[in-house]
Amino acid sequence: MSRVEDNLMLATDSYKVTHHMQYPPGTTIVYSYFESRGGKFPSTVFYGLQYIIKRWMVGQVVTEEKIAEAKEYYSGHFNADLFNEAGWRYIVEKHGGRLPVRIKAVPEGMVVPYKNVLFTVENTDPECYWLTNILETLLVQVWYPTTVATSSRAQKEIIAKYLEETADTMDGLPFKLHDFGFRGSTSVESAGIGGSAHLVNFQGTDTIAALIYAKTYYSCPMAGHSIPASEHSTITTWGKDKEVDAFRNMLQQFPSGLVACVSDSYDIWNACERYWGEELKVEVIKRGKQGTLVIRPDSGDPPTVVVKVLDILGKCFGTTPNSKGYKLLPPYVRILQGDGIRYESLEGILEAVKNARWSADNIAFGSGGGLLQRLDRDTQKCAFKCCYAEVQGKGVNVYKDPVTDKGKVSKKGRLTLEYEKGKFTTVQDGKGDPAKDLLVTVFENGKLVKDYTFDEVRENAEIPRVKQKRVAKASV
């Protein structure tokens, strides 16, 4: 028997199993679309469909063995024979187990204002009209990587803004928001999916699964990087009285490169002022010829703690003003704030840092639950709806328009996504210009038609500030 987790026929909602019996007689085409209907962020970074297609849809995904397996599950689940055995067997016999559907989507990484179509799905065999929307359950899961990529990018924009205002360079931006979210994810799979979505925007991560997903599904040899770092257990096992020895051990074990040391196990102020700033000061400075010590506070009110830690370190190690008049620690000392970091908290921390006349270049951030978990499908109001069908040889514009919620009005007819004069527009009712359509065929009849690299995705998602800097640098 096959693994249940690999059976496409079981990767759907129960009620969809009976939908082949519910369409009007003579239905031959069902055409549906996915969009962000609104939400927290005004634009959406589209990402993750390629993973779903490669993982679930490419090649022979329907077999007699899997049909028998699905039939057995559904017979027990419904206590009735409702499974579309004949329809799935038709796909095996007629199409060799390959899915007769076409998916058109915006390029992965593209940033599209909400309320616009992001991808469409339709069956390519009139006998398989029921297949389009049975795939909804699986395809809609693109909401998760899309929303993580969207939130991560929004945080990148915040950090870039403060770097532009208070730093001489934005070169460190790709490593300013580090993914700490593996342990808080609901599974290794979700960590890989969400973690790779974050890497669309940044290059710092401790989520190994993200690297594997970026390589497996987007051909990226190494999408992210990390550094040696302590956790509380590797410090506190030395005992409170020997915390300074634990710190010294970190410097000795990692004599070059970046190394991060959590320093709030007992008293962050004492650790920064007495241990790092006095007892270990000479060693920190000496090591600075080969690397940088990153001191990590991990508790308390982030804006208050970050500024106070900077002030203490500035007193101990000195500062220099940059060209914009903001203070910089020596290059061998930096801090990493990894507690309480999310989209809503970043700006407050960076504003406090700026108001204290510190450059944002002194600090990097780590985020776990706030990056990969504090979001859901409604964050960007993601939805998949049928908008066109052909019944008895006639085209039908399909839509919903609930009197109780006009925010759920769906689009009608065949769709194109067009871009003119700086604006994205979803053209409905089949009135669009195919030559202007941004939707690209990515999957058709069991084959992946377009295979995006991670570099392409990253370039599509890049924020304007970075692109402008590149242009300015190239013109010099």
Side-chain angles (χ1 to χ4, degrees):
M1 295 290 283
S2 65
R3 292 174 64 243
V4 173
E5 296 88 346
D6 290 332
N7 193 331
L8 178 78
M9 288 166 281
L10 296 171
T12 193
D13 297 305
S14 298
Y15 78 141
K16 288 186 174 291
V17 176
T18 65
H19 289 179
H20 66 286
M21 306 162 66
Q22 300 176 30
Y23 287 102
T27 300
T28 55
I29 295 289
V30 172
Y31 172 94
S32 299
Y33 74 100
F34 176 88
E35 72 170 327
S36 164
R37 293 191 295 207
K40 182 175 181 178
F41 304 103
S43 292
T44 298
V45 181
F46 183 67
Y47 172 72
L49 179 63
Q50 184 164 292
Y51 154 72
I52 294 173
I53 291 173
K54 287 186 175 183
R55 167 70 175 80
W56 288 97
M57 300 177 67
V58 172
Q60 184 185 26
V61 296
V62 185
T63 64
E64 290 288 353
E65 181 186 34
K66 291 181 178 181
I67 291 172
E69 182 180 57
K71 181 180 179 180
E72 180 181 350
Y73 269 93
Y74 288 129
S75 293
H77 184 49
F78 289 109
N79 291 315
D81 186 16
L82 299 172
F83 175 60
N84 187 13
E85 182 178 2
W88 288 106
R89 180 160 287 114
Y90 173 85
I91 291 176
V92 172
E93 295 171 351
K94 179 74 172 179
H95 299 284
R98 292 168 172 79
L99 301 176
V101 296
R102 179 184 301 112
I103 301 176
K104 297 181 69 175
V106 299
E108 296 227 5
M110 180 173 277
V111 183
V112 182
Y114 59 40
K115 300 184 185 296
N116 280 296
V117 58
L118 295 172
F119 70 81
T120 62
V121 187
E122 66 177 311
N123 58 293
T124 58
D125 183 327
E127 295 294 326
C128 298
Y129 60 90
W130 50 271
L131 181 59
T132 301
N133 272 37
I134 209 167
L135 296 172
E136 174 187 359
T137 309
L138 193 58
L139 293 172
V140 166
Q141 290 189 346
V142 76
W143 77 262
Y144 177 59
T146 289
T147 305
V148 172
T150 300
S151 175
S152 171
R153 183 178 186 272
Q155 292 175 77
K156 186 176 186 177
E157 288 183 311
I158 291 172
I159 297 169
K161 171 180 176 287
Y162 281 91
L163 284 173
E164 192 169 61
E165 292 175 355
T166 70
D168 288 337
T169 176
M170 289 205 297
D171 290 350
L173 179 59
F175 294 95
K176 287 296 185 182
L177 184 62
H178 201 88
D179 176 9
F180 289 165
F182 204 161
R183 72 190 63 184
S185 296
T186 55
S187 67
V188 174
E189 182 180 31
S190 63
I193 298 167
S196 69
H198 169 65
L199 289 174
V200 168
N201 304 293
F202 290 92
Q203 294 180 39
T205 185
D206 264 31
T207 301
I208 302 300
L211 308 178
I212 297 168
Y213 274 63
K215 181 176 182 179
T216 302
Y217 298 104
Y218 291 88
S219 305
C220 184
M222 183 52 61
H225 304 275
S226 190
I227 63 173
S230 67
E231 67 175 24
H232 287 101
S233 74
T234 65
I235 301 300
T236 56
T237 48
W238 289 72
K240 185 175 181 179
D241 293 340
K242 292 188 176 181
E243 184 180 31
V244 68
D245 294 326
F247 291 169
R248 181 178 289 110
N249 181 63
M250 291 296 291
L251 298 177
Q252 293 172 347
Q253 292 293 336
F254 308 101
S256 62
L258 288 157
V259 63
C261 190
V262 64
S263 302
D264 77 322
S265 297
Y266 307 106
D267 184 341
I268 183 65
W269 319 127
N270 183 66
C272 290
E273 188 164 10
R274 181 181 165 196
Y275 294 158
W276 294 121
E278 292 180 8
E279 293 189 42
L280 299 173
K281 182 176 180 179
V282 172
E283 292 174 62
V284 171
I285 294 173
K286 183 178 178 181
R287 186 185 181 279
K289 296 176 181 178
Q290 296 89 237
T292 299
L293 167 68
V294 182
I295 296 170
R296 181 160 74 92
D298 199 48
S299 54
D301 176 58
T304 303
V305 171
V306 165
V307 171
K308 187 170 180 179
V309 166
L310 285 170
D311 286 343
I312 292 173
L313 295 175
K315 177 183 174 184
C316 294
F317 291 99
T319 66
T320 55
N322 63 19
S323 68
K324 296 176 181 177
Y326 290 90
K327 293 176 287 185
L328 270 174
L329 290 168
Y332 51 78
V333 181
R334 290 292 182 266
I335 70 170
L336 171 65
Q337 176 64 31
D339 179 59
I341 301 304
R342 57 191 185 278
Y343 171 76
E344 291 80 5
S345 67
L346 258 184
E347 189 150 21
I349 299 169
L350 286 164
E351 186 66 19
V353 168
K354 177 184 176 181
N355 289 339
R357 302 304 295 175
W358 284 101
S359 170
D361 214 15
N362 291 289
I363 183 170
F365 300 94
S367 183
L371 183 65
L372 301 188
Q373 293 301 115
R374 289 190 182 181
L375 37 81
D376 55 35
R377 186 163 67 92
D378 286 332
T379 300
Q380 291 302 102
K381 302 184 186 300
C382 294
F384 182 103
K385 297 298 173 188
C386 178
C387 56
Y388 177 81
E390 290 184 8
V391 182
Q392 301 287 359
K394 295 182 179 180
V396 179
N397 285 348
V398 180
Y399 67 99
K400 58 180 284 189
D401 186 6
V403 67
T404 49
D405 189 350
K406 292 301 179 182
K408 291 189 173 183
V409 174
S410 62
K411 293 173 169 51
K412 304 177 185 178
R414 289 191 175 274
L415 310 174
T416 59
L417 179 66
E418 302 179 19
Y419 185 80
E420 284 190 300
K421 298 179 180 178
K423 182 181 179 181
F424 287 91
T425 302
T426 297
V427 183
Q428 304 182 48
D429 299 320
K431 297 178 180 178
D433 183 349
K436 297 179 181 179
D437 193 6
L438 297 176
L439 300 177
V440 177
T441 300
V442 294
F443 177 85
E444 188 166 354
N445 298 333
K447 296 181 180 179
L448 183 74
V449 178
K450 174 64 179 176
D451 193 351
Y452 292 99
T453 67
F454 211 63
D455 285 343
E456 289 176 307
V457 178
R458 280 175 161 167
E459 183 58 32
N460 288 338
E462 191 56 88
I463 63 173
R465 274 190 173 88
V466 171
K467 289 182 177 180
Q468 290 163 7
K469 290 285 184 182
R470 282 183 195 161
V471 171
K473 193 173 182 179
S475 63
V476 174

